[in-house]
Amino acid sequence: MFITFEGPEGAGKSTVLLSIADRLRASGRDVVTTREPGAGELGKSIRQILLHGDDLDPKSELLLFLADRANHVSNIVRPALARGAIVLCDRYADSTLVYQAYARGLDEAFARAGNAFATGGLVPDLTLLVDLDPRIGLTRLQSKDRLDAQSIDFHERVRDGFLREAASDAKRWRVVDGSQTADLVLEACWQFIEPLVR
Ligand code: TYD
């Protein structure tokens, strides 16, 4: 079972992911928590460039997210799925589509094809969108990396992009209101996950 968590900055998806993992582990499930960018050794180096590098061309940015993803899928995600684990991943291919194509304006067809190439066609069983107005989300951040520091317009396009993707594939996506308390966000996510892991 492969479940991804997506959303704009500060929506609380990383916190809820860890709480879901605790709950699943408490019921005896084998759970792997992971994230993009930055899982594994190569991922750590790529993450450093992506979040803190200077002078990064937007095309390089897109290719580095794909490079990170290709390694992550083949070295971490696929082996975990193959042994029957539940994989909870903080951001995945949808973030590239939304941040690099919708928000940055790079070619959408290329981003989609790049994702398919990097993942070998691995699509999540479920994607939870923790949705939040970026004007609220950005004020929740303690510190800002290179992407957080983009304009409010950029972050509005990110939010709209996620909502658009979620609406276009209601079978895979579920939308949760990230403006609720952390406990309510957790329960809202759990109601979508629980039937799949019963
Ligand atoms: P991170 O510190 O992991 O924060 P969070 O996921 O909690 O926002 O930062 C990852 C940043 O990288 C985030 O701003 C989203 C961005 N990103 C992309 O632009 N494209 C991608 O494909 C991925 C995976 C992330």
Side-chain angles (χ1 to χ4, degrees):
M1 178 68 49
F2 183 31
I3 302 173
T4 58
F5 292 71
E6 299 279 6
E9 313 299 333
K13 64 184 168 38
S14 312
T15 309
V16 74
L17 184 155
L18 295 177
S19 303
I20 296 277
D22 286 346
R23 211 175 256 200
L24 290 168
R25 286 187 183 118
S27 67
R29 310 301 296 247
D30 178 5
V31 179
V32 171
T33 59
T34 186
R35 70 169 176 184
E36 292 190 357
E41 279 311 306
L42 177 69
K44 283 193 195 115
S45 310
I46 297 179
R47 179 180 173 89
Q48 180 63 24
I49 301 169
L50 277 167
L51 298 191
H52 307 289
D54 293 326
D55 206 18
L56 193 60
D57 179 84
K59 289 179 189 161
S60 286
E61 178 185 278
L62 167 52
L63 293 168
L64 285 169
F65 278 115
L66 295 179
D68 173 68
R69 181 159 306 125
N71 244 57
H72 181 219
V73 167
S74 62
N75 293 350
I76 296 173
V77 179
R78 282 195 191 273
L81 293 174
R83 70 161 201 260
I86 298 171
V87 177
L88 305 180
C89 185
D90 192 345
R91 296 198 185 280
Y92 187 60
D94 299 301
S95 278
T96 298
L97 191 62
V98 166
Y99 278 80
Q100 278 64 52
Y102 293 173
R104 271 267 193 260
L106 295 173
D107 187 70
E108 183 184 327
F110 180 81
R112 288 187 189 276
N115 273 333
F117 178 72
T119 62
L122 180 68
V123 176
D125 298 292
L126 173 70
T127 299
L128 293 170
L129 169 56
V130 185
D131 175 54
L132 185 65
D133 182 336
R135 286 173 204 276
I136 301 172
L138 289 169
T139 63
R140 289 182 177 175
L141 300 183
Q142 315 251 313
S143 65
K144 287 196 175 148
D145 61 42
R146 209 176 54 80
L147 283 136
D148 300 330
Q150 299 295 314
S151 68
I152 190 71
D153 286 0
F154 178 93
H155 292 293
E156 299 278 8
R157 290 198 293 280
V158 166
R159 184 195 194 188
D160 292 348
F162 277 128
L163 288 170
R164 184 141 54 107
E165 279 306 294
S168 76
D169 185 359
K171 208 160 159 253
R172 170 163 69 93
W173 291 79
R174 297 287 179 275
V175 183
V176 169
D177 175 4
S179 72
Q180 311 173 88
T181 62
D183 282 352
L184 288 176
V185 172
L186 171 60
E187 294 314 322
C189 290
W190 182 249
Q191 72 166 20
F192 295 129
I193 291 175
E194 206 259 332
L196 298 180
V197 297
R198 237 179 238 152

